């Protein structure tokens, strides 16, 4: 299961929800290690390919186009740094010019907007004056004689010319006022921008940004702490696995010795009625990629787990007290509710091909997934130790803690509270 997750670099959200915080951190640490390994592999491959391309390019250089860098007197590639070469403007001057240009453009934009309003006012003013004058002339022309109409027309044209002249004069005056205001505004903007650049004024947005930055740094430190703790836990458990010698190779030894131990177990213990049932011997069983129903889980247990004596006490035909059937997390917590710290049970998982170990701690509960998809048993994402049997894993952690941060030791098994037991469908 772990190898599949690392191969796909993906974990199902439902499966992720089953993991506790320590399992998640160590799993993410392993996924990060796999990412780094793949990245280094890609970089090495790219380096080799680049070397090959360069060799090929050198072979074709005599016939093809190529780029030749300009070199200085010191033999190195010639580099020009803006503002430092002879004839270049100093940085302060460039900054001053940029600020001045920025202020000029802003002032020009404001002046254009102001002139549009002023022009509209002037046009409206003289349009209304022209209309009133024309209306007055039209009203008076009915009072004059026919021979006086030409004179009235001349008066009207003279009045229109005078109004146009006054309109033009007022436009010029308005343009001059706008130009002066634009110059004043440009100086104000320049001084404002310069002062903001020199003194680094901070607004409310800056304070909010600083608060977000502080929270982000705190979250980064917490993630680093969790990753460091997960890395230390992973190394500690790897060293512990080496010291204890509990590795996957024991599975072959177990297969060779289990048959020899079984007759002795039958002599020493009375036969259990559950074991009188024959182990399935189907030869066409193909395990799906993941469990999708209780029937499939029961079939998997009978086909793969019963032959490996999963759930039995060591060298006996009795079901272990801590073993339970397909029960939910909530049901497991209800069984452990009134138990003391260190109480535990093992239940068949509905999320992976394996089990879930539910543990009672002082402040609540913890749940650890046990991967049984291979020829060994191990905690998913927490413990690198591989155990030949499920009983080996339980006995091992009766003496060794599961995680250094939690210090979980399996002290008291939690038994059945139902009759028939919740594991009975697995042995029917």
């Amino acid at each position: 299961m772990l190898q599949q997750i690392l191969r796909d670099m993906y974990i199902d959200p439902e499966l992720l929800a089953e993991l506790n915080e320590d399992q998640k951190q160590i799993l993410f640490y392993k996924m990060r290690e796999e990412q780094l390994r793949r990245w280094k592999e890609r970089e090495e491959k790219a380096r080799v390919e680049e070397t090959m391309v360069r060799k090929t390019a050198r072979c074709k250089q005599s016939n093809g186009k190529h780029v030749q860098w300009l070199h200085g007197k010191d033999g190195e590639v010639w580099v020009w740094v803006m503002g430092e070469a002879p004839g270049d403007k100093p940085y302060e001057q460039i900054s001053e010019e940029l600020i001045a240009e920025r202020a000029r453009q802003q002032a020009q934009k404001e002046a254009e907007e102001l002139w549009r309003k002023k022009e509209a006012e002037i046009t409206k003013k003289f349009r209304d004056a022209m209309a009133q004058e024309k209306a007055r002339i039209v009203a008076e022309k009915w009072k004059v004689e026919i021979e006086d109409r030409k004179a009235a027309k001349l008066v009207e044209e003279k009045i229109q010319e005078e109004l146009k002249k006054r309109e033009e004069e007022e436009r010029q005056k308005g343009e001059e006022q706008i130009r002066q205001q634009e110059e004043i505004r440009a100086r104000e903007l320049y001084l404002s921008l310069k002062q903001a650049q020199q003194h680094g004024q901070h607004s409310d947005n800056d304070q909010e940004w600083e608060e977000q930055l502080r929270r982000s740094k705190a979250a980064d430190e917490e993630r680093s702490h969790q990753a460091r703790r997960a890395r230390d836990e992973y190394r500690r458990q790897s060293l512990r696995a080496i010291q204890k010698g509990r590795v996957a190779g024991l599975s072959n030894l177990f297969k060779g010795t289990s048959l020899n131990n079984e007759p002795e177990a039958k002599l020493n213990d009375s036969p259990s009625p559950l074991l009188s049932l024959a182990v399935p011997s189907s030869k066409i069983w193909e395990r799906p990629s993941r469990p999708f129903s209780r029937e499939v889980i029961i079939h998997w247990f009978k086909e793969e787990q019963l032959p490996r004596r999963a759930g039995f006490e060591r060298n006996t035909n009795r079901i272990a007290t801590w073993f339970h059937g397909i029960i939910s997390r909530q049901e497991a917590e209800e069984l452990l509710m009134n138990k003391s710290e260190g109480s535990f049970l093992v239940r068949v998982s509905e999320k992976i091909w394996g089990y879930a170990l539910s543990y009672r701690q002082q402040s609540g509960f913890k749940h650890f997934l046990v991967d049984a998809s291979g020829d060994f048993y191990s905690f998913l994402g927490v413990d690198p130790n591989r155990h030949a049997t499920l009983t080996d894993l339980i006995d091992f952690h009766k003496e060794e803690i599961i995680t250094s941060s939690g210090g979980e030791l399996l002290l008291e098994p939690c038994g059945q509270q139902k009759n028939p037991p919740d594991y009975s469908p697995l042995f029917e």
Side-chain angles (χ1 to χ4, degrees):
M1 177 63 69
L2 179 60
Q3 294 302 321
Q4 181 180 351
I5 292 173
L6 296 179
R7 183 176 65 251
D8 301 337
M9 297 303 287
Y10 171 81
I11 180 171
D12 189 271
E14 294 182 358
L15 178 58
L16 183 63
E18 289 290 321
L19 301 176
N20 60 40
E21 193 61 31
D22 291 332
Q23 286 179 304
K24 290 177 182 178
Q25 292 299 327
I26 294 180
L27 180 60
F28 293 156
Y29 170 69
K30 291 183 178 180
M31 294 177 73
R32 180 57 178 164
E33 274 190 335
E34 177 64 15
Q35 285 180 327
L36 289 174
R37 187 194 65 79
R38 294 183 185 182
W39 176 80
K40 290 178 180 178
E41 191 176 81
R42 286 196 302 269
E43 288 294 308
E44 180 63 22
K45 184 178 179 182
R47 187 186 64 78
V48 173
E49 291 178 353
E50 184 179 358
T51 303
M52 296 299 296
V53 169
R54 287 180 178 177
K55 289 181 179 179
T56 306
R58 282 198 293 268
C59 295
K60 296 181 178 179
Q61 187 173 1
S62 58
N63 298 326
K65 297 180 179 179
H66 63 278
V67 176
Q68 185 175 359
W69 298 102
L70 179 64
H71 290 79
K73 295 180 180 179
D74 55 358
E76 299 293 334
V77 176
W78 184 81
V79 179
W80 170 68
V81 180
M82 183 180 68
E84 296 183 3
D88 285 356
K89 295 180 181 179
Y91 171 78
E92 290 76 10
Q93 183 179 351
I94 296 175
S95 178
E96 291 281 344
E97 292 177 354
L98 289 174
I99 293 175
E101 178 63 19
R102 187 175 170 186
R104 186 192 65 78
Q105 291 178 356
Q106 179 65 23
Q108 184 179 8
K109 184 178 179 181
E110 294 178 2
E112 289 175 354
E113 182 65 25
L114 186 61
W115 170 243
R116 279 196 294 269
K117 295 179 180 179
K118 186 73 174 177
E119 187 179 26
E121 292 176 359
I122 294 173
T123 301
K124 184 176 183 301
K125 176 180 177 182
F126 284 95
R127 187 188 300 115
D128 294 343
M130 184 71 71
Q132 291 177 1
E133 187 65 24
K134 193 170 183 180
R136 185 185 65 79
I137 293 174
V138 171
E140 290 180 355
K141 73 179 181 178
W142 297 104
K143 299 179 181 180
V144 298
E145 298 296 333
I146 296 176
E147 60 271 13
D148 294 334
R149 289 183 180 176
K150 183 178 292 187
K153 182 69 173 177
L154 293 174
V155 172
E156 179 181 355
E157 291 177 353
K158 184 177 180 181
I159 292 174
Q160 288 180 353
E161 290 178 0
E162 184 179 352
L163 288 173
K164 289 181 179 178
K165 183 178 179 181
R166 287 171 56 191
E167 179 181 0
E168 184 65 26
E169 290 175 354
E170 192 155 348
R171 282 179 181 273
Q172 292 177 358
K173 184 178 178 181
E175 288 177 355
E176 180 63 23
Q177 291 177 350
I178 296 298
R179 187 184 62 78
Q180 293 176 358
Q181 292 178 3
E182 180 181 351
E183 292 177 355
I184 295 173
R185 181 58 178 162
R187 287 195 294 271
E188 290 176 352
L189 290 172
Y190 172 80
L191 293 175
S192 177
L193 292 172
K194 186 69 175 178
Q195 185 178 6
Q197 184 187 43
Q198 290 176 349
H199 300 288
Q201 297 175 343
H202 298 288
S203 63
D204 294 339
N205 292 334
D206 295 333
Q207 295 178 357
E208 182 179 354
W209 179 83
E210 289 177 356
E211 177 62 21
Q212 291 178 353
L213 181 62
R214 185 190 65 77
R215 290 198 299 265
S216 177
K217 288 182 177 179
D220 288 342
E221 290 177 359
E222 177 62 23
R223 282 193 294 269
S224 299
H225 175 70
Q226 292 179 349
R228 185 165 56 251
R229 187 176 62 186
R231 186 164 56 249
D232 295 340
E233 177 72 12
Y234 179 74
R235 290 171 178 169
R236 182 188 68 82
Q237 291 174 349
S238 298
L239 179 60
R240 185 178 64 186
I242 295 173
Q243 292 172 344
K244 290 292 183 179
R246 304 298 181 96
V247 293
L250 291 177
S251 61
N252 296 327
L253 179 61
F254 170 76
K255 292 177 181 178
T257 59
S258 61
L259 295 177
N260 297 328
N261 293 334
E262 188 173 357
E264 182 181 353
K266 289 182 178 180
L267 291 174
N268 296 334
D269 300 278
S270 59
S272 170
L274 292 174
L275 289 181
S276 61
L277 301 172
V279 177
S281 58
S282 173
K283 296 182 180 180
I284 59 173
W285 160 252
E286 291 185 5
R287 185 176 64 197
S289 59
R290 58 175 298 175
F292 55 85
S293 68
R294 293 177 67 91
E295 290 74 16
V296 171
I297 296 173
I298 293 172
H299 192 59
W300 163 78
F301 183 84
K302 291 179 179 180
E303 290 289 341
E304 297 190 19
Q305 296 301 297
L306 274 183
R308 298 169 65 180
R309 295 175 55 81
F312 290 96
E313 293 182 354
R314 188 184 303 279
N315 299 329
T316 72
N317 293 330
R318 289 193 300 268
I319 305 297
T321 307
W322 42 261
F323 185 76
H324 288 255
I326 308 173
I327 61 175
S328 65
R329 173 187 288 214
Q330 182 178 357
E331 290 174 313
E333 291 179 356
E334 289 175 356
L335 290 172
L336 293 168
M337 180 65 69
N338 299 322
K339 302 295 183 179
S340 60
E341 184 179 5
S343 299
F344 69 98
L345 61 85
V346 176
R347 52 193 171 89
V348 179
S349 173
E350 296 180 275
K351 303 299 182 183
I352 65 170
W353 298 117
Y355 305 88
L357 187 148
S358 298
Y359 179 84
R360 182 70 164 99
Q361 56 182 5
Q362 186 176 5
S363 59
F365 309 92
K366 276 190 176 182
H367 303 273
F368 301 92
L369 290 177
V370 179
D371 184 12
S373 58
D375 61 348
F376 55 85
Y377 297 84
S378 66
F379 284 116
L380 183 61
V382 173
D383 190 352
N385 300 320
R386 295 180 174 185
H387 305 272
T389 67
L390 185 59
T391 304
D392 285 346
L393 182 144
I394 298 301
D395 291 344
F396 179 74
H397 288 291
K398 288 180 179 179
E399 300 177 359
E400 296 288 342
I401 60 176
I402 299 176
T403 65
S404 59
S405 59
E408 305 89 353
L409 274 178
L410 305 182
L411 302 178
E412 185 67 28
C414 177
Q416 297 287 328
Q417 293 183 3
K418 293 182 179 180
N419 191 16
D422 53 30
Y423 55 66
S424 57
L426 300 174
F427 300 95
E428 290 177 349

